[in-house]
């Protein structure tokens, strides 16, 4: 993909470098000449110096050929301007990093394809980790109603050694919970099938409603005898 990133600060540059390593064609734009020079000299990125809210500069950055334009400037007003100019310039998709939640409605009305709030993501993940120590990593989804998270299944858990279909068929299986993946010993994630076995000590990737998170975690961490635990629905 051709990606144009407006704002090459710490976060913007990190995203740019990651995408470039993945083989994407990345261009950055930043007002600070030293930042732009560093992006080019240290990471080999195509970098332009200037104001990304300048329509002429965006044209020079070939915004019309961009598959994605990501606005990561310090002010939401500037990110909004970049988004509108990118849309007018022919970019296929526009994303913004939202600083002030008050701008969410404005971004939506402007037709921004994706709005990312670092504060929402950080608070959601941190709060989940504080409230539920069994969770390894967590990411809040959508407007915060759902959470994707990793959970280690104890070796003596009641569900250890059972198939995904058996676990999901339990009468006590939380209704909002979805199996998103099962980690293999080599660290790769395997898409779970009904016949996939969740071994004791395995790490599972789950998605659940935020208000059912405690119930989901308790279900997977139960250590009662299997005979008193999981029963398939009939």
């Amino acid at each position: 993909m051709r990606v144009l990133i407006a704002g090459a600060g710490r976060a913007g540059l990190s995203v740019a470098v990651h995408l470039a390593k993945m083989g994407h064609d990345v261009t950055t734009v930043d007002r600070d000449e030293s930042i732009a020079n560093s992006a080019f000299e240290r990471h080999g990125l195509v970098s332009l110096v200037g104001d990304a809210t300048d329509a002429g500069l965006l044209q020079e950055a070939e915004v019309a050929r961009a598959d994605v334009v990501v606005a990561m400037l310090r002010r939401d007003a500037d990110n909004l301007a970049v988004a509108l100019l990118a849309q007018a310039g022919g970019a296929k998709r526009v994303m913004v990093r939202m600083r002030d939640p008050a701008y969410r409605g404005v971004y939506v009305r402007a037709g921004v394809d994706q709005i990312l709030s670092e504060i929402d993501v950080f608070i959601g993940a941190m709060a989940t980790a504080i409230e539920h120590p069994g969770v390894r990593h967590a990411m809040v989804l959508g407007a915060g109603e759902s959470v994707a998270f990793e959970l280690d299944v104890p070796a003596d858990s009641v569900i250890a050694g059972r198939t995904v279909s058996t676990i999901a068929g339990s009468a006590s299986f939380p209704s909002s919970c979805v199996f998103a993946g099962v980690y293999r010993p080599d660290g790769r994630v395997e898409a779970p099938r009904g016949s996939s076995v969740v071994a004791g000590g395995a790490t599972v990737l789950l998605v659940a409603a935020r208000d059912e998170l405690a119930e989901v975690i308790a279900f997977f961490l139960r250590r009662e005898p299997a005979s008193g635990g999981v029963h398939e629905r009939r």
Side-chain angles (χ1 to χ4, degrees), residues 5-63:
I5 298 179
R10 181 175 299 177
L13 184 58
S14 296
V15 172
V17 171
H18 173 76
L19 290 173
K21 288 180 178 179
M22 296 299 291
H24 299 293
D25 186 353
V26 183
T27 298
T28 64
V29 178
D30 200 280
R31 293 187 180 94
D32 190 321
E33 184 174 359
S34 64
I35 289 177
N37 288 340
S38 177
F40 172 71
E41 294 170 0
R42 295 183 58 189
H43 305 289
L45 298 171
V46 176
S47 303
L48 301 182
V49 180
D51 187 348
T53 64
D54 183 329
L57 184 60
L58 288 184
Q59 289 179 357
E60 184 180 345
E62 299 184 315
V63 66

Side-chain angles (χ1 to χ4, degrees), residues 77-107:
D78 291 335
N79 284 333
L80 178 61
V82 171
L84 293 172
L85 288 170
Q87 289 171 337
K92 296 181 180 66
R93 188 154 56 103
V94 178
M95 301 170 61
V96 299
R97 177 177 66 175
M98 181 177 67
R99 298 280 192 164
D100 184 348
Y103 272 81
R104 184 179 296 276
V106 181
Y107 285 133

Side-chain angles (χ1 to χ4, degrees), residues 14 19 29 44 53 77 82 94 117 128-129 142 167 173 210 213 219-220:
S14 296
L19 290 173
V29 178
T53 64
V82 171
V94 178
S117 170
T128 299
I167 296 169
F173 187 74
R210 192 181 186 92
L213 201 56
F219 176 88
F220 280 86

Side-chain angles (χ1 to χ4, degrees), residues 172-178 212 215-216 233:
S172 58
F173 187 74
S175 60
S176 73
C177 185
V178 175
E212 279 195 356
E215 181 183 349
V216 171
R233 291 192 182 106

